[in-house]
Amino acid sequence: MDTTDTRQVFKATAFLILTTISIPANIFVFCAFLRTFVIEGKLMTADIILCHLTFVNLLVALTRSIPQTMAAFGYNNMFDDDGCKLNMFSFRIFRGLSISLTCLLSTYQAVLISPATSRLTPLKSKIPQYLKHIIVILYVIYCVSNCNALISAVASFPNNTIPPFTFNLQFCFITYPTYIDFISGGLTKFFSDLLFIVLMAIMSGYILVVLYRHGKRVRSLRSSESSQSGVRAEVKASRAVVTLVTLYCLFFGIDNIIYLYSLTVLRVAILLSDIRVFFATLYTSVCPVVVIITNPKVKIKTRMKKQNGEGQFTGTTTSAL
């Protein structure tokens, strides 16, 4: 087996694992929140954000992980030019929404646990009140700002000659007419993402500081069991949010180090593109797993499925006897 075949095997395996984790996990989490909404008639603010985050992560997996997996198995001609344009347009929208919704989630969690004397306190009522408007605005912003994907994405080139300043995804190509367009488009995307990353990091740092101070205060005071239960719920939710932000920052760092390097070369190596895309989509698999482990509503759904499975097994055994 030569180097190219080995790389294709590793690529196919990696993206197949991502796809088989991210799609079922995101569907499960989304259905768990949907079931909660149907039963209770409402969702908490953080759960609404998580529900949207799960939805956009699912669509990132559908628009990027599946095509990458198929390309790794040799299905490179799955789209025509219009299909590539639609795929890239959709991927960029949902990838942008993924980072902005994660940022919104960390901001809301920081606001939620902030003390009454904090300057963030007024946002405790403002964010839930205007949450629908915020989410709609984010969708509109990313739809408008990514219209250039409808121009730059193509399925193939005449004579299979790939021009300079082109990102090769194997199933689609993103091409830029000039070096200025190539650099400006890349840096605009990088700094817009970096803005959300910095805000996430600040809010996560604030969450950790508040939890540390609160932990010292709780150890020095005796609290009722009910208040301790509420504190534990807030602490678990906050830790889950910090975990998501930390993972996103890690994946973002690797993704964008490679992306910044790719802006310095005329033609981006396929291996680098594959590694970058892998880390750009890895969050879609990790995020629902973290939610399944940490979110009470989703954990209840998981227990119910296990209990139903055990109940069905027990019932069958009894009837057989």
Side-chain angles (χ1 to χ4, degrees), residues 7-310:
R7 182 179 63 80
Q8 286 297 106
V9 169
F10 276 112
K11 177 183 175 180
T13 303
F15 280 103
L16 183 61
I17 291 172
L18 280 187
T19 304
T20 53
I21 293 175
S22 62
I23 293 178
N26 280 297
I27 290 175
F28 176 79
V29 174
F30 184 79
C31 289
F33 284 125
L34 185 62
R35 180 181 180 278
T36 301
F37 177 75
V38 170
I39 293 175
E40 299 180 5
K42 64 176 182 179
L43 286 174
M44 303 298 289
T45 300
D47 292 339
I48 294 173
I49 299 173
L50 277 172
C51 191
H52 280 274
L53 180 59
T54 301
F55 173 71
V56 300
N57 282 338
L58 173 61
L59 291 175
V60 168
L62 292 175
T63 56
R64 183 50 61 87
S65 295
I66 289 180
Q68 284 288 351
T69 303
M70 294 179 67
F73 283 102
Y75 297 97
N76 293 328
N77 300 318
M78 64 192 82
F79 296 117
D80 57 11
D81 282 352
D82 291 337
C84 278
K85 293 179 189 301
L86 180 60
N87 179 274
M88 290 308 305
F89 179 61
S90 301
F91 169 73
R92 289 185 178 182
I93 290 172
F94 298 124
R95 181 191 176 278
L97 285 167
S98 180
I99 185 173
S100 59
L101 288 170
T102 303
C103 183
L104 178 60
L105 180 65
S106 63
T107 302
Y108 177 70
Q109 191 63 37
V111 168
L112 193 63
I113 68 169
S114 62
T117 56
S118 171
R119 294 180 180 179
L120 298 176
T121 301
L123 294 177
K124 289 186 181 182
S125 60
K126 295 295 183 182
I127 291 179
Q129 182 180 355
Y130 295 104
L131 182 62
K132 292 180 181 178
H133 303 84
I134 294 171
I135 292 177
V136 169
I137 289 171
L138 288 175
Y139 274 86
V140 171
I141 287 173
Y142 282 104
C143 285
V144 173
S145 62
N146 288 291
C147 286
N148 61 324
L150 298 173
I151 302 173
S152 59
V154 294
S156 61
F157 295 101
N159 302 320
N160 293 323
T161 302
I162 302 175
F165 317 125
T166 298
F167 289 105
N168 182 1
L169 298 173
Q170 291 190 282
F171 61 91
C172 283
F173 301 88
I174 310 299
T175 184
Y176 296 87
T178 66
Y179 182 69
I180 297 299
D181 294 322
F182 185 65
I183 289 294
S184 61
L187 292 180
T188 300
K189 171 186 170 296
F190 171 76
F191 283 111
S192 62
D193 286 354
L194 185 63
L195 178 64
F196 285 110
I197 289 293
V198 170
L199 182 56
M200 274 191 235
I202 292 172
M203 290 303 172
S204 296
Y206 178 77
I207 289 172
L208 292 175
V209 170
V210 172
L211 291 181
Y212 175 74
R213 290 176 178 173
H214 189 74
K216 290 179 64 177
R217 194 182 311 119
V218 167
R219 283 193 295 270
S220 63
L221 297 173
R222 291 187 176 182
S223 303
S224 65
E225 187 175 346
S226 59
S227 63
Q228 288 281 8
S229 177
V231 168
R232 284 196 295 269
E234 287 186 359
V235 169
K236 288 180 180 179
S238 300
R239 287 175 178 170
V241 170
V242 171
T243 300
L244 288 177
V245 171
T246 303
L247 291 171
Y248 200 104
C249 290
L250 174 64
F251 302 152
F252 168 87
I254 298 173
D255 172 12
N256 281 274
I257 287 172
I258 298 173
Y259 186 64
L260 289 176
Y261 168 77
S262 68
L263 295 178
T264 66
V265 297
L266 291 179
R267 289 183 175 85
V268 183
I270 295 177
L271 177 60
L272 281 179
S273 293
D274 290 342
I275 295 173
R276 179 179 162 246
V277 170
F278 176 81
F279 281 99
T281 54
L282 183 57
Y283 185 70
T284 65
S285 298
V286 174
C287 179
V289 173
V290 173
V291 174
I292 289 171
I293 294 172
T294 59
N295 189 277
K297 293 182 176 64
V298 179
K299 290 174 74 173
I300 289 173
K301 178 71 173 176
T302 306
R303 292 194 197 102
M304 289 178 63
K305 290 180 74 71
K306 288 182 178 179
Q307 289 173 359
N308 288 339
E310 291 173 359

